């Protein structure tokens, strides 16, 4: 019980662990022995079957919208959140999933409220995954907002449940052709003279329309030939322009896929001079894809730093939007940390953390236009031949004027790395990137994701486990499984990295250091005090 009270102060615990720990405290031994045949489970419990899905004894496990199977060969291992789902923003909607509920899992209750307002409250809250609507004993409507992980779901609750999803584009609504031909109509009788006048009128109308169409097409072609190249050159001065056919040849027909994100797919290619490149092909006819294209051109195209991925050129032809980047031979940081058979060398990880911080320092304080990246995470840090960190994927970046120190904007980013102020609709500052960097720094230290379910209870939420190890003087527990590293892990360097990460994830932005101070801390040029718990 004391552990639960001590950990309850952490905001990330509220996000990931409170629901799970409270259920463990409240569930009796008899309830734990109940047969799963009598329950309907939706959740993320560590030891339960069908994590993040729907479990029924008769039909197995089914994933909710926005979730994928952990292992398709064994559905009972449950489901995991689809990382490509961006659920922060106005594009999200609430999907009706019937009448399940998770008693004790809600982190906020709103009363009185109607069903529409309940669903909208969840859409506007980045933390909210599921909303439950029901009528209280006094007749008032109430809304319970719930976040992952969920556990001990049950049905027949006389309440309505909704899960947050990103809607797919609707199918074509053209009516099917009629299977029966229309009945023949008897043409009206006309004289030969009337028929001749009618044919002449039709011929003149067709000739006029054809001439008008040809004239409009000629004007459009001339304007495109004279103005478009100038506008493009003005928009991307210093970058190379490619035609779609050129990039199709560079990638050999978009053959080798490197990765896929929320806005498009990345392919490997080779320029005529033999230089390897990564070609990002944005989705067609999508407003968000067009916005990402313009944002990346405006931010990366004008930025030059060794810790930012370099943009060589682009294609802006018709409906095609493509970006050509330098190729990173060692892939993304998340693969090196979480998907490699061996642990990334300690000194390389220290180098990657410092390089990423220096890249953010350039964006925040050294660019002519201040840039907030807004989506710092291991998937967006690329590694070259020498494991130099390169910040990439500026599709969610926010450009700020020189006179601005804060701004208001719609929520953006990835769950687990989003700063608390996004959820409060508060003013946004460069400290949102500092928060995301702090979460990622703890992942770099421990070589594991911020949320992990197949571990002891006190290690599920990484920041809380790290702080507990710091408090008890047992930091070596964080890296004791990394015995195969090429270089020895220095205990003082480990402590310094941990302190920096914990300062960066403070709930109050005023307590977080600037990214310049973060660089100084990592380099060991300034003293670092012991931070308060992640929430104070």
């Amino acid at each position: 019980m004391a552990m639960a009270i001590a950990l309850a102060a952490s905001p990330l615990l509220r996000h990931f662990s409170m629901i799970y720990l409270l259920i463990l405290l409240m569930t009796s031994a008899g309830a734990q022995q109940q047969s799963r045949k009598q329950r309907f489970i939706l959740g993320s419990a560590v030891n339960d079957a069908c994590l993040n899905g729907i479990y029924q004894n008769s039909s197995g496990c089914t994933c909710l919208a926005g979730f994928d199977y952990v292992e398709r060969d064994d559905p009972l291992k449950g489901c995991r959140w689809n990382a490509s789902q961006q659920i922060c923003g106005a594009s999200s909607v609430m999907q009706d999933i019937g009448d399940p509920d998770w008693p004790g899992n809600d982190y906020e209750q709103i009363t009185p409220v109607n069903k529409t307002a309940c669903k909208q409250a969840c859409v506007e809250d980045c933390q909210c995954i599921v909303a439950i609507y029901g009528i209280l004993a006094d007749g008032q409507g109430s809304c319970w907002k719930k976040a992952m992980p969920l556990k001990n779901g049950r049905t027949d609750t006389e309440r309505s449940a909704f899960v947050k999803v990103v809607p797919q584009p609707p199918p074509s609504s053209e009516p099917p052709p009629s299977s029966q031909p229309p009945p023949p109509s008897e043409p009206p009788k006309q004289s030969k003279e009337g028929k001749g006048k009618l044919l002449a009128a039709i011929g003149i109308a067709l000739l006029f329309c054809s001439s008008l169409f040809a004239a409009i097409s000629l004007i459009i072609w001339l304007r495109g030939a004279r103005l478009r190249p100038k506008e493009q050159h003005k928009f991307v001065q210093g970058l190379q322009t490619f035609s779609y056919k050129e990039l199709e040849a560079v990638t050999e027909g978009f053959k080798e896929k490197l990765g896929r994100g929320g806005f498009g797919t990345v392919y490997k290619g080779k320029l005529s001079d033999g230089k390897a490149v990564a070609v990002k092909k944005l989705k067609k006819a999508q407003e968000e894809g067009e916005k990402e294209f313009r944002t990346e051109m405006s931010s990366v195209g004008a930025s030059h730093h060794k810790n930012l991925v370099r943009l060589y050129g682009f294609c802006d032809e018709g409906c095609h939007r493509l970006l050509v980047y330098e190729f990173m031979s060692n892939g993304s940081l998340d693969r090196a940390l979480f998907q490699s058979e061996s642990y990334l060398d300690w000194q390389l990880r220290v180098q990657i953390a410092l390089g990423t911080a220096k890249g953010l320092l350039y964006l925040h304080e050294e660019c002519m236009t201040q840039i907030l990246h807004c989506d710092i995470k291991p998937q967006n840090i690329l590694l070259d031949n020498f494991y130099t960190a390169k910040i990439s994927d500026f599709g969610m970046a926010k450009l700020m004027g020189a006179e601005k120190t804060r701004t208001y904007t719609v929520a953006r980013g990835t769950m687990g790395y989003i700063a608390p102020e996004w959820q409060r609709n508060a003013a946004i500052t460069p400290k949102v990137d500092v928060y995301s960097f702090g979460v990622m720094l703890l992942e770099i230290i421990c070589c594991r994701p911020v949320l992990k379910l197949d571990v002891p209870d006190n290690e599920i939420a990484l920041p809380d486990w790290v702080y507990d190890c710091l408090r008890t003087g047992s930091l070596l527990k964080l890296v004791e499984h990394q015995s195969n590293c090429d270089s020895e892990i220095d205990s003082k360097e480990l402590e310094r990295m941990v302190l920096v990460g914990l300062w960066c994830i403070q709930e109050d932005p005023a307590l977080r250091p600037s990214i310049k101070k973060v660089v100084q801390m990592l380099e060991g040029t300034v003293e670092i005090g012991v931070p308060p718990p992640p929430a104070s």
Side-chain angles (χ1 to χ4, degrees), residues 315-522:
C315 171
D316 184 9
E317 181 182 300
C319 64
H320 301 296
R321 302 289 182 271
L322 299 96
L323 298 165
V324 183
Y325 292 99
E326 62 178 323
F327 174 70
M328 297 287 102
S329 59
N330 279 311
S332 59
L333 178 58
D334 70 307
R335 293 181 181 178
L337 290 177
F338 312 140
Q339 301 175 29
S340 176
E341 294 181 357
S342 60
Y343 292 104
L344 193 61
D345 182 65
W346 172 255
Q347 289 304 321
L348 285 179
R349 281 182 274 158
V350 173
Q351 168 190 308
I352 289 167
L354 182 58
T356 304
K358 288 182 176 180
L360 283 175
L361 175 60
Y362 175 81
L363 295 175
H364 289 183
E365 300 186 18
E366 298 173 3
C367 278
M368 293 184 63
T369 299
Q370 186 184 51
I371 300 172
L372 309 187
H373 187 278
C374 298
D375 198 21
I376 293 294
K377 58 183 178 180
Q379 291 88 337
N380 289 338
I381 306 300
L382 303 182
L383 306 173
D384 68 6
N385 290 337
F386 306 101
Y387 285 89
T388 302
K390 307 265 188 175
I391 300 174
S392 70
D393 205 339
F394 287 75
M396 293 189 183
K398 177 70 177 177
L399 280 63
M400 298 178 66
E403 73 285 354
K404 287 187 177 180
T405 58
R406 60 184 61 208
T407 186
Y408 290 87
T409 184
V410 295
R412 55 187 79 183
T414 302
M415 286 185 64
Y417 304 89
I418 301 174
E421 51 265 39
W422 284 116
Q423 303 170 22
R424 296 193 295 261
N425 294 321
I428 299 306
T429 72
K431 297 293 184 72
V432 297
D433 283 346
V434 172
Y435 184 94
S436 302
F437 173 81
V439 175
M440 187 181 73
L441 180 58
L442 298 183
E443 293 180 320
I444 291 174
I445 294 169
C446 301
C447 289
R448 55 150 284 186
V450 62
L451 177 65
K452 188 170 181 163
L453 299 178
D454 56 344
V455 293
D457 299 346
N458 65 319
E459 299 178 16
I460 292 177
L462 180 59
D464 299 301
W465 180 42
V466 170
Y467 189 83
D468 188 50
C469 289
L470 174 67
R471 182 177 54 82
T472 58
S474 53
L475 287 179
L476 289 179
K477 284 185 179 179
L478 303 175
V479 294
E480 62 184 2
H481 58 290
Q482 302 172 19
S483 57
N484 65 341
C485 287
D486 296 334
S487 59
E488 185 178 351
I489 298 176
D490 180 81
S491 59
K492 289 189 178 299
E493 199 168 39
L494 171 62
E495 182 180 12
R496 181 167 66 248
M497 297 260 286
V498 166
L499 291 174
V500 173
L502 291 174
W503 274 114
C504 289
I505 62 171
Q506 293 297 306
E507 184 174 22
D508 184 357
L511 293 179
R512 298 175 212 152
S514 67
I515 196 64
K516 184 175 183 178
K517 187 69 173 292
V518 169
V519 171
Q520 294 171 341
M521 289 176 171
L522 290 174

Side-chain angles (χ1 to χ4, degrees), residues 71-97:
E71 291 186 15
R72 290 196 170 273
D73 295 336
D74 188 2
L76 285 182
K77 287 193 175 179
C79 312
R80 60 186 172 194
W81 182 252
N82 185 343
S84 66
Q85 288 275 339
Q86 298 292 342
I87 64 163
C88 285
S91 62
S92 303
V93 298
M94 302 304 295
Q95 180 173 311
D96 191 338
I97 55 173

Side-chain angles (χ1 to χ4, degrees), residues 82-143:
N82 185 343
S84 66
Q85 288 275 339
Q86 298 292 342
I87 64 163
C88 285
S91 62
S92 303
V93 298
M94 302 304 295
Q95 180 173 311
D96 191 338
I97 55 173
D99 61 353
D101 194 6
W102 301 263
N105 281 254
D106 44 280
Y107 64 90
E108 182 179 357
Q109 182 178 0
I110 306 172
T111 305
V113 69
N114 58 34
K115 187 180 295 186
T116 300
C118 176
K119 293 191 288 185
Q120 187 61 29
C122 188
V123 167
E124 294 173 355
D125 186 343
C126 292
Q127 184 181 354
C128 182
I129 295 294
V130 170
I132 304 293
Y133 178 78
I135 305 299
L136 300 177
D138 59 4
Q140 290 186 325
S142 189
C143 180

